[in-house]
Amino acid sequence: MRAHDWSASPLGAPETWPAPLGTVVGLMLGSAFPMFAAWGPSLGYLYNDAYSVMLGARHPDALGRPFRDVWPEIWDEILPFIERAMRGEATYQEDLPLRMLRKGFEEDTWWTFSYSPIRDVDGTVKGMFCACVETTEAVRSSSELASLNVDLERQVLERSHELKHLWDTSPDLLLVIDFEGVFRKVNPAWTTLLGYAPEELVGRHVSEFVLPEDDALTRDAYELAAGGGLPVVENRYRHKDGSIRWISWVAAPNGGLTYATGRDVTARVSAQAELAAAQDALRHSQKMEAVGQLTGGVAHDFNNLLTVIKSSTDLLKRPGLSDERRTRYVGAISDTVDRAAKLTSQLLAFARRQSLKPEVFDANESVRALGDMMGTLTGSRIRIETRLSDRTCFLNADPSQFDTALVNMAVNARDAMDGEGTLTIAVRTAERMPAVRAHPSVVGSFVAVSVIDTGIGIPSDRIAHIFEPFFTTKEVGQGTGLGLSQVFGFAKQSGGEVTVESVVGEGTTFTLYLPRVDGAARRVDEAEPAPLVDGHGTCVLVVEDNADVGTFAVQTLTDLGYVTVLANNAEEALAELARDADRFDVVFSDIVMPGMSGIDLAHHIRENHHDLPVLLASGYSHVLAKNGTYGFELLHKPYSVEDLSRLLRKVATWQRRRRILGDGRA
């Protein structure tokens, strides 16, 4: 510690002070930290070296001088403490730190002081002792904390103002609702969007404002929130003026309440409804256009066929007709009927209403057999190539319709090549059916049969229409436009698909995808019986609601030697069977009839007269198209006398064999 020059001190050197005053002051002032100071009766300034931090360059000059001269700027603040100490009271200045300018540094500092009187042995106050500690960092930290608190309070206040502004100005509905569905708080947007003032809503149940049809949906939403869920719902609210508004809600629970935001989506819902209506109208228009095109095509083709039939029948009526001409006209009528039957069959195939007879067969074998005769169909200038799979490719499909589909694709390819080029038929297995016509790709086991030509190709704007009935790019009279429609319908009804790839000027590839099945022995049909020219008294119950067809069938069978009984509907047939079922050998019934259908009648006969065979006939039945023949023999209309006789003999012979075997077992 630096030695003090006490000669300038009004108190003199400490050793001259009365004991113990001199000892105490000497010890305290000799300490380096904290800063200590002492004053005599005249408040002369004595201090230790630690005060140099405060005094700076004035440190040597301040010694012994009155405190007021050294720190005039804080004299008024410190005087009350000095006076109290000189009166004999110890005082502290801790709660309110003193701000002082650090000498020579031009910066504010903060200090805490304690003042104690210095007494002589007789108790007389001779001076004052002061201990001083700098608290600048503590004051600054406290100030920063206070400033931070003020800033946080300001931010909270600003956020509160923002939230209130958002609540008051939001164009969306804001709602606080309890878990029972009672409104607790609403924002002003409810008045703007739905016409209700807040006091008309708060405390009332949501069901009072939601349409009854949406009440259950709304109840599910706030019950979901009660369970901690996050409901998203659209429901309809009734405006105060009676109109309806669609509101889309998102909500989240917090505590015992749900906070929800609702947006008016009435315009969007209305636009969607208008769009759906427009799409329905467009689909209806397209459907009517398609029906018009279909009807026009059917009328055109059938009128042509009817013209041939009408002309032939008129010519047959002429007297003195030679046998050769009569045979020719009858043949023309027969051929035309076959063409008409083929036309309806193709239409039903496109519509997926053709009754199929699926069997398990190998596509390789069918293509090989067709390839051998395809040259006759396409002509000598078209080279036929077949590429068969080295794996078995079993299908469960109608083999006749499969062959027809390949023939139709081959004819289309022939015409596209103008009779000259290369036609390739390729068979392979595939592990997926590609996405086509808005349908996604299907993974599975398939057989893909491709028909590839080197023709003119199909423009991209026409590919979407090539499977439509009567759509054709050929010249008038060069085709009906039904061939590819049959391919499309057969593929769809068989659980498959048909795709087309084409490059104009290079060629086209049609690929038929059908589900692949495990190989199984193909059923070997029994030898078909020869047509029965003489019915030999076989008794047939004919069930037909069309009077002309029923009369013709009865006459035909009678001419062939059958004994017939005609029933005009299934109810009459059941009455005949109830009277005496044993007199009948066969029931020959139409399928589509008013009341009980022919299929229902056949099932009834199977259950109650299991030894009586049934032969069904139909020009079209959606039930057969969907479910098959249920194991009954089927005769397609229009049918020939030979077909009718053949199938009648087949079912009668089969039943007769069952009866013989049954008798033998008995």
Side-chain angles (χ1 to χ4, degrees):
M1 185 180 105
R2 184 178 63 82
H4 287 272
D5 182 5
W6 300 104
S7 60
S9 170
L11 296 178
E15 57 268 21
T16 65
W17 296 353
L21 176 62
T23 303
V24 173
V25 171
L27 289 173
M28 289 186 174
L29 294 181
S31 176
F33 191 87
M35 294 180 287
F36 297 108
W39 289 271
S42 60
L43 300 181
Y45 197 18
L46 304 177
Y47 50 84
N48 67 344
D49 284 342
Y51 258 96
S52 63
V53 176
M54 292 176 58
L55 294 173
R58 298 186 61 190
H59 172 248
D61 300 330
L63 188 63
R65 295 175 59 194
F67 185 85
R68 182 173 184 174
D69 295 341
V70 179
W71 299 108
E73 63 270 23
I74 64 171
W75 175 254
D76 291 339
E77 295 182 57
I78 205 171
L79 180 60
F81 297 98
I82 293 175
E83 290 177 344
R84 291 172 62 185
M86 293 301 292
R87 288 197 301 268
E89 299 178 24
T91 61
Y92 302 93
Q93 192 185 12
E94 296 183 21
D95 296 336
L96 183 65
L98 189 63
R99 180 180 179 184
M100 302 175 66
L101 183 66
R102 194 190 304 273
K103 298 296 184 179
F105 294 96
E106 302 299 324
E107 65 173 337
D108 289 335
T109 55
W110 297 87
W111 309 83
T112 298
F113 298 88
S114 65
Y115 303 93
S116 301
I118 300 176
R119 301 178 184 274
D120 204 344
V121 291
D122 59 0
T124 304
V125 176
K126 294 294 186 179
M128 178 185 65
F129 178 77
C130 174
C132 177
V133 177
E134 184 176 358
T135 59
T136 301
E137 292 300 324
V139 171
R140 286 177 179 173
S141 297
S142 176
S143 176
E144 290 173 358
L145 180 61
S147 176
L148 179 61
N149 289 335
V150 170
D151 185 59
L152 288 175
E153 291 177 1
R154 178 182 57 79
Q155 292 184 34
V156 170
L157 185 61
E158 288 177 354
R159 298 294 87 76
S160 297
H161 285 312
E162 290 175 358
L163 290 175
K164 185 178 185 305
H165 180 73
L166 177 63
W167 179 269
D168 292 339
T169 62
S170 171
D172 292 333
L173 302 178
L174 302 180
L175 171 66
V176 181
I177 188 173
D178 64 24
F179 293 155
E180 300 299 323
V182 177
F183 289 157
R184 294 304 182 190
K185 189 176 181 181
V186 298
N187 71 328
W190 284 79
T191 305
T192 305
L193 295 181
L194 292 172
Y196 299 101
E199 57 269 18
E200 296 179 278
L201 297 166
V202 174
R204 297 175 66 180
H205 198 276
V206 63
S207 297
E208 298 181 49
F209 306 95
V210 173
L211 261 62
E213 297 88 340
D214 295 344
D215 185 66
L217 181 69
T218 305
R219 186 180 302 276
D220 291 342
Y222 61 72
E223 288 179 355
L224 175 63
L230 303 175
V232 177
V233 65
E234 285 188 1
N235 55 10
R236 289 167 291 180
Y237 276 72
R238 191 177 300 281
H239 193 281
K240 193 173 182 180
D241 63 12
S243 60
I244 304 301
R245 297 287 190 274
W246 278 92
I247 309 297
S248 178
W249 293 97
V250 293
N254 185 22
L257 299 172
T258 298
Y259 296 80
T261 301
R263 175 157 296 179
D264 186 351
V265 293
T266 306
R268 188 254 293 168
V269 172
S270 299
Q272 288 176 336
E274 292 174 1
L275 177 60
Q279 290 174 335
D280 286 341
L282 176 60
R283 281 192 291 268
H284 180 72
S285 175
Q286 292 172 333
K287 184 184 299 182
M288 294 307 297
E289 182 180 354
V291 169
Q293 179 180 338
L294 180 62
T295 304
V298 171
H300 175 270
D301 283 7
F302 266 98
N303 282 334
N304 285 340
L305 298 172
L306 292 173
T307 298
V308 174
I309 295 174
K310 177 62 175 173
S311 299
S312 298
T313 56
D314 288 343
L315 291 171
L316 284 172
K317 295 176 183 178
R318 297 179 66 183
L321 197 64
S322 65
D323 292 341
E324 184 270 331
R325 287 190 176 183
R326 181 177 290 104
T327 302
R328 187 197 313 164
Y329 298 149
V330 171
I333 293 173
S334 179
D335 292 342
T336 304
V337 170
D338 290 340
R339 288 167 58 192
K342 181 178 179 182
L343 177 62
T344 57
S345 175
Q346 289 176 319
L347 287 172
L348 290 174
F350 167 73
R352 288 172 258 173
R353 295 296 187 269
Q354 181 81 329
S355 56
L356 302 178
K357 296 180 180 179
E359 297 179 12
V360 176
F361 64 94
D362 189 351
N364 282 319
E365 295 301 323
S366 293
V367 170
R368 180 182 289 111
L370 277 176
D372 294 338
M373 53 79 63
M374 200 68 78
T376 303
L377 179 68
T378 59
S380 59
R381 293 189 302 158
I382 293 181
R383 184 162 57 92
I384 307 296
E385 293 183 357
T386 56
R387 297 202 297 263
L388 304 180
S389 174
D390 55 0
R391 303 173 63 183
T392 55
C393 297
F394 285 104
L395 303 173
N396 185 22
D398 188 319
S400 176
Q401 289 291 320
F402 176 79
D403 292 347
T404 301
L406 292 186
V407 168
N408 283 332
M409 288 190 286
V411 169
N412 185 78
R414 176 200 66 189
D415 296 341
M417 294 186 288
D418 195 20
E420 184 174 3
T422 301
L423 174 64
T424 304
I425 305 177
V427 182
R428 61 182 173 86
T429 59
E431 300 307 319
R432 74 171 55 239
M433 193 162 60
V436 62
R437 288 180 289 276
H439 297 295
S441 174
V442 178
V443 176
S445 182
F446 297 92
V447 175
V449 182
S450 298
V451 177
I452 308 163
D453 67 57
T454 57
I456 59 175
I458 305 171
S460 58
D461 60 338
R462 295 187 177 184
I463 285 182
H465 302 286
I466 59 175
F467 295 112
E468 296 175 3
F470 300 107
F471 178 85
T472 179
T473 59
K474 302 172 186 176
E475 297 180 1
V476 177
Q478 296 300 312
T480 64
L482 288 174
L484 294 179
S485 298
Q486 181 274 337
V487 178
F488 177 85
F490 167 67
K492 288 293 188 179
Q493 195 172 358
S494 301
E497 186 59 89
V498 58
T499 64
V500 57
E501 300 174 70
S502 186
V503 178
V504 175
E506 296 184 13
T508 302
T509 299
F510 285 90
T511 302
L512 178 64
Y513 290 88
L514 295 173
R516 185 182 179 208
V517 298
D518 293 333
R522 184 172 180 176
R523 181 175 59 86
V524 179
D525 292 332
E526 298 174 0
E528 293 287 345
L532 182 62
V533 177
D534 189 345
H536 295 286
T538 301
C539 189
V540 181
L541 175 59
V542 179
V543 189
E544 174 62 66
D545 65 301
N546 186 288
D548 293 335
V549 175
T551 300
F552 184 79
V554 168
Q555 291 175 350
T556 300
L557 292 175
T558 300
D559 291 342
L560 291 176
Y562 290 88
V563 176
T564 60
V565 174
L566 177 62
N568 294 315
N569 51 56
E571 286 73 17
E572 290 185 14
L574 291 176
E576 292 288 346
L577 293 172
R579 187 176 300 115
D580 183 10
D582 292 337
R583 58 187 163 137
F584 298 112
D585 296 296
V586 180
V587 176
F588 175 45
S589 175
D590 188 25
I591 290 179
V592 180
M593 296 184 296
M596 180 183 286
S597 71
I599 295 176
D600 292 334
L601 174 63
H603 281 298
H604 180 85
I605 294 173
R606 177 181 283 175
E607 293 174 4
N608 297 281
H609 309 282
H610 59 274
D611 288 335
L612 182 59
V614 178
L615 173 61
L616 297 174
S618 178
Y620 159 68
S621 169
H622 71 282
V623 177
L624 290 183
K626 182 179 180 180
N627 301 311
T629 64
Y630 295 98
F632 298 107
E633 285 291 339
L634 177 66
L635 181 62
H636 289 280
K637 293 181 179 180
Y639 51 80
S640 66
V641 175
E642 289 79 5
D643 288 338
L644 174 58
S645 176
R646 175 176 55 81
L647 285 178
L648 281 174
R649 183 181 178 188
K650 178 180 178 181
V651 295
T653 302
W654 170 77
Q655 189 60 45
R656 190 177 298 114
R657 184 181 300 112
R658 284 190 61 185
R659 286 174 175 170
I660 293 173
L661 291 175
D663 292 342
R665 284 192 295 270

